[in-house]
Amino acid sequence: MADPWQAAMDHAVAVARKAGEMIREALQSDRKIMCKSSSVDLVTKTDQQVEQFIFASIREKFPTHSFIGEESVAAGEPCLLTENPTWIIDPVDGTTNFVHGFPFIAVSIGFVVKKEPEFGVVYSCVEDKMYTGRKGKGAYCNGLPLQVSDQTNINQCIVNSEMGSNRDPEVVDKIFSTIRKILCIPIHGVRGVGTAAVNMSLVASGAVEAYFEIGIHCWDVAAGAVIVTEAGGVVMDVDGGPFDLMSRRVLVANNKTIATRLVKEIDVFPAKRDDAP
Ligand code: IPD
């Protein structure tokens, strides 16, 4: 049977590539910073322009679909997942990197139908790497198949994580205590490239074994979750329970052994759900 969402996925790849070009061009010009929830939660004109471009381009082809986008939600649009086919978009994942010219910036496009992820597209635009994952059909980077690492010994792992943008000292303490415990298991190293979508794609590629974060949003992880799953990895909650796209918590790993070992060390702290009223 023909894939009902092939045309949508092809369009997502084309749109992500064009959006990546816009970001690369903007990197060469003045990047005017604005703040959202705090002085470290940044947004730029480029985030807004790229999101408008992506929405308009997808809406033209798929006018009945729903949309959740980082900048639209910031502007007051609802962040509710319905049964309708829904595009979940982060136009510039790694806005802080973009502002500073730190070269890991991604366009992240996830597509969910009846609340089930169908495909994910992550375009790491400075590296020119197009990661894709289609439910049941595998994950690819620039057309080459992706496979997670086969490591089962936690001592031989690299784990990605991020500090996020919450500067509440109690939260920062929990983040550091978790990183400290994980480092001291011991593991080979802790990394983080400043974009959830690329951190997840690195798990899918086998370059690192795991990535976890509390405080991310659905648009940061919707695409990456499909890519990791399709590369053979696992996606779950930081407490080991099932992954919930709206919970603002994610743990992805190459396998369950590594994931459940990390769960033991993660100090969970509250983060208001994306779909909270
Ligand atoms: C952020 C990045 C970052 C993560 C933050 C996200 P943004 O997304 O993914 O790696 O630590 O939690 O909010 O704001 O650059 O789209």
Side-chain angles (χ1 to χ4, degrees), residues 227-244:
I227 295 169
V228 170
T229 310
E230 288 302 317
V234 295
V235 181
M236 59 176 70
D237 188 79
V238 288
D239 69 3
F243 172 59
D244 173 348

Side-chain angles (χ1 to χ4, degrees), residues 21 28 33 35 40 47 73 77 83 89 96 115 125-126 147 156 163 179 203 206 211 237 252 261:
E21 268 170 40
Q28 307 305 322
I33 313 168
C35 296
V40 296
D47 296 66
V73 171
E77 291 290 321
E83 303 273 307
I89 293 163
T96 306
K115 301 189 179 174
C125 64
V126 179
Q147 179 63 49
Q156 308 278 323
M163 306 298 159
I179 298 288
V203 175
Y211 159 71
D237 188 79
V252 299
R261 180 65 189 84

Side-chain angles (χ1 to χ4, degrees), residues 132-139 146-147 225-233:
T132 58
R134 170 75 183 104
K135 189 173 81 183
K137 293 193 171 173
L146 294 176
Q147 179 63 49
V226 189
I227 295 169
V228 170
T229 310
E230 288 302 317

Side-chain angles (χ1 to χ4, degrees), residues 36 41-42 47 70-71 90-97 106 161-165 193-197 199 211 213-217 219-220 248:
K36 292 199 280 190
D41 184 9
L42 309 180
D47 296 66
E70 175 167 21
E71 305 320 327
D90 190 343
V92 181
D93 188 39
T95 301
T96 306
N97 288 355
S161 192
E162 296 285 338
M163 306 298 159
S165 56
V193 294
T195 122
N199 281 322
Y211 159 71
E213 188 171 346
I214 300 172
I216 43 81
H217 295 275
W219 46 80
D220 297 314
R248 302 191 57 200

